[in-house]
Amino acid sequence: AQSVTQLGSHVSVSEGALVLLRCNYSSSVPPYLFWYVQYPNQGLQLLLKYTTGATLVKGINGFEAEFKKSETSFHLTKPSAHMSDAAEYFCAVSERGGYQKVTFGTGTKLQVIP
Amino acid sequence: EPEVTQTPSHQVTQMGQEVILRCVPISNHLYFYWYRQILGQKVEFLVSFYNNEISEKSEIFDDQFSVERPDGSNFTLKIRSTKLEDSAMYFCASTLAGAQPQHFGDGTRLSIL
């Protein structure tokens, strides 16, 4: 069985500050890991994914995440927050490939303070 | 860039009525999914569909739910007799295969009165 834990349902950062959204996963097989972003009244947009290979993955809008197997973590970071980053972020896991069901975390709402 | 499209964006239905939510997946994709998100809760998997049959379903996907791919482009979710607790945002997703991520539509907000 697979599961995802996101620490912090709400995170506030100042504009220009580092963004760090935490995600830990549980999976019985090597996982595929994803971060999705949801803007108000919109769908889920893929930010980045880890499947195999390089453990530091870069995504859209300056975000990146690092897969750490020993810590079962996949934290999302961005060096400098922008007002447009305010949204809800979901960490997700899929076993044995992207065609398998995706299990989502509970989400973290990011607030960016001017 | 190709998109998954869902209609309608908002559906209001009386309890006990049947509702059909419609999705047009990305044209060359092979795997199709429905998820739902009850207000304030996380996104939950409902069902996956491949090669014209259900490949996996969750405990939520009971006999009241059904899915269909009636033609080469549409993928529908039917709820036979809606309950108040079916009120949620329903997302359709599709993927080509393998390591490709799932692409999500913008969702249909279903409100049961």
Side-chain angles (χ1 to χ4, degrees):
Chain A
Q2 56 195 26
S3 66
V4 175
T5 302
Q6 290 184 244
L7 293 175
S9 58
H10 290 81
V11 170
S12 293
V13 300
S14 298
E15 190 175 16
L18 171 71
V19 175
L20 171 60
L21 304 183
R22 298 178 186 274
C23 172
N24 288 89
Y25 70 90
S26 171
S27 175
S28 57
V29 299
Y32 285 30
L33 295 159
F34 311 90
W35 276 98
Y36 285 87
V37 60
Q38 185 179 33
Y39 297 100
N41 300 314
Q42 293 189 26
L44 297 160
Q45 181 183 8
L46 181 71
L47 270 182
L48 48 78
K49 64 175 181 176
Y50 169 79
T51 54
T52 58
T55 56
L56 180 65
V57 292
K58 296 185 186 299
I60 61 172
N61 302 336
F63 284 93
E64 61 183 37
E66 186 171 11
F67 169 60
K68 291 187 176 180
K69 185 178 178 182
S70 61
E71 299 177 8
T72 61
S73 68
F74 191 57
H75 302 330
L76 181 71
T77 60
K78 181 174 180 177
S80 177
H82 192 272
M83 295 299 295
S84 60
D85 295 328
E88 188 157 20
Y89 293 80
F90 293 92
C91 182
V93 62
S94 175
E95 293 181 350
R96 295 182 298 277
Y99 58 92
Q100 299 288 335
K101 69 178 181 184
V102 175
T103 297
F104 286 84
T106 50
T108 298
K109 283 188 179 167
L110 177 65
Q111 180 186 23
V112 182
I113 303 166
Chain B
E1 185 176 326
E3 292 182 342
V4 176
T5 56
Q6 291 185 243
T7 55
S9 57
H10 191 190
Q11 173 82 44
V12 181
T13 302
Q14 292 287 331
M15 186 173 59
Q17 295 296 305
E18 175 183 285
V19 67
I20 297 176
L21 308 182
R22 302 181 191 278
C23 170
V24 179
I26 295 173
S27 61
N28 63 337
H29 283 189
L30 302 175
Y31 298 83
F32 313 108
Y33 312 82
W34 284 100
Y35 293 81
R36 79 170 185 191
Q37 183 182 29
I38 295 172
L39 188 63
Q41 298 185 25
K42 66 178 180 179
V43 179
E44 303 172 288
F45 169 77
L46 290 178
V47 66
S48 59
F49 191 85
Y50 170 71
N51 200 25
N52 281 323
E53 61 182 26
I54 290 173
S55 47
E56 187 175 1
K57 59 183 181 179
S58 71
E59 292 175 353
I60 303 167
F61 195 87
D62 62 21
D63 292 344
Q64 294 298 315
F65 291 89
S66 63
V67 289
E68 193 178 31
R69 188 155 162 81
D71 53 42
S73 59
N74 291 284
F75 180 51
T76 61
L77 174 69
K78 183 194 292 186
I79 309 175
R80 258 180 278 281
S81 178
T82 50
K83 310 188 223 7
L84 293 175
E85 54 264 37
D86 293 328
S87 295
M89 179 75 89
Y90 288 80
F91 292 105
C92 174
S94 69
T95 188
L96 181 55
Q100 298 302 312
Q102 294 176 22
H103 294 254
F104 285 78
D106 283 343
T108 293
R109 182 167 299 284
L110 178 63
S111 300
I112 307 300
L113 304 179

